[in-house]
């Protein structure tokens, strides 16, 4: 089952339970809304993980986990607080942090592989291409390694993931003013570093 199918099954299961309790309610539109959020953002979320991971299976697993968490929390999504893309990047950041904590904690390899669905050859090829396509983004993130965390995140979300500064601020849970200042500072530092080379 593909990542998209896993998310649709999860969301459909949750919505079926809701429809069973209240027939004729607008819950079916929630599934359609989430499907639009998924289709419009799966590539950028996958690219986010492809910049961080060189293993296609890990990229697929982290992308899938992000959308499974998003599907289960979609009822609580408030578009007044930010765009769906910013909300998803917040979730993706938490998924990646959890992944890193588990890897650093030396979690047993058997436990890591237990819930994995092996990728078929086509999926493996596609994810390998995506990882290769994000090589320039990985290089930029390596140049940002000396920057403070918030500045690195601002560069990535605005310059690589094409979020607006307002969306990036929402994803990082900081004010727009703080985000713009940090972004400007980070860009200036990177330009200075590149000029000195």
């Amino acid at each position: 089952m593909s990542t998209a199918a896993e998310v649709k099954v999860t969301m459909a299961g949750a919505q079926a339970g809701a429809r069973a309790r209240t027939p004729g309610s607008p819950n079916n539109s929630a599934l359609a809304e989430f499907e639009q959020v998924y289709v419009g953002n799966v590539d950028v979320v996958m690219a986010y993980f492809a910049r961080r991971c060189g293993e296609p299976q890990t990229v697929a697993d982290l992308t899938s986990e992000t959308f499974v968490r998003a599907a289960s929390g979609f009822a609580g999504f408030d578009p007044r607080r930010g765009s769906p893309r910013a909300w998803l990047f917040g979730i993706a950041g938490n998924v990646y942090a959890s992944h890193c904590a588990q890897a650093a904690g030396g979690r047993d390899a058997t436990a890591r592989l237990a819930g994995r669905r092996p990728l078929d050859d086509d999926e493996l090829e596609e994810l390998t291409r995506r990882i290769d396509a994000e090589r320039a983004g990985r290089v930029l993130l390596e140049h940002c390694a000396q920057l403070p965390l918030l500045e690195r995140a601002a560069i990535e979300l605005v310059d690589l993931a094409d979020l607006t500064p307002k969306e990036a601020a929402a994803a990082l849970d900081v004010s727009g003013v703080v985000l713009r200042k940090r972004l400007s500072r980070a860009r200036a530092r990177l330009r200075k570093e590149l000029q000195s080379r």
Side-chain angles (χ1 to χ4, degrees):
M1 184 182 297
S2 71
T3 302
E6 289 170 356
V7 171
K8 286 180 184 177
V9 167
T10 300
M11 190 67 178
Q15 292 303 317
R19 283 193 303 274
R21 289 189 298 278
T22 55
S25 69
N27 286 329
N28 195 22
S29 67
L31 178 59
E33 283 180 52
F34 184 77
E35 187 172 8
Q36 288 177 349
V37 168
Y38 174 83
V39 169
N41 295 286
V42 68
D43 289 337
V44 294
V45 170
M46 195 172 292
Y48 173 83
F49 292 121
R51 285 189 291 274
R52 288 163 169 70
C53 307
E55 170 61 38
Q57 183 70 53
T58 303
V59 172
D61 291 345
L62 295 175
T63 302
S64 179
E65 176 66 21
T66 298
F67 282 99
V68 168
R69 287 187 189 185
S72 65
F74 191 62
F77 169 66
D78 183 0
R80 294 172 299 191
R81 294 189 63 209
S83 70
R85 183 169 287 181
W87 175 67
L88 286 170
F89 271 100
I91 294 170
N94 290 334
V95 167
Y96 188 70
S98 178
H99 166 74
C100 290
Q102 291 172 347
R107 193 175 77 158
D108 182 54
T110 305
R112 266 193 311 235
L113 298 173
R116 246 185 203 181
R117 177 194 58 84
L119 298 172
D120 63 34
D121 291 340
D122 291 341
E123 290 173 314
L124 192 60
E125 280 182 40
E126 177 188 347
L127 285 169
T128 300
R129 280 193 303 273
R130 286 180 185 267
I131 290 168
D132 288 342
E134 291 303 322
R135 185 172 294 131
R138 281 193 299 281
V139 169
L140 178 59
L141 290 178
E142 288 170 10
H143 287 299
C144 293
Q146 301 304 318
L147 297 176
L149 181 61
L150 184 57
E151 291 179 16
R152 282 194 314 256
I155 287 284
E156 179 175 20
L157 293 178
V158 174
D159 293 338
L160 294 176
D162 293 328
L163 268 67
T164 66
K166 183 178 178 180
E167 291 172 325
L172 297 171
D173 199 26
V174 298
S175 75
V177 172
V178 168
L179 188 280
R180 284 189 298 278
K181 284 182 180 181
R182 295 297 183 102
L183 183 61
S184 177
R185 193 179 302 159
R187 287 173 174 164
R189 288 180 183 174
L190 288 174
R191 276 193 298 273
K192 186 176 179 180
E193 179 187 330
L194 291 173
Q195 288 172 353
S196 68
R197 289 182 180 190

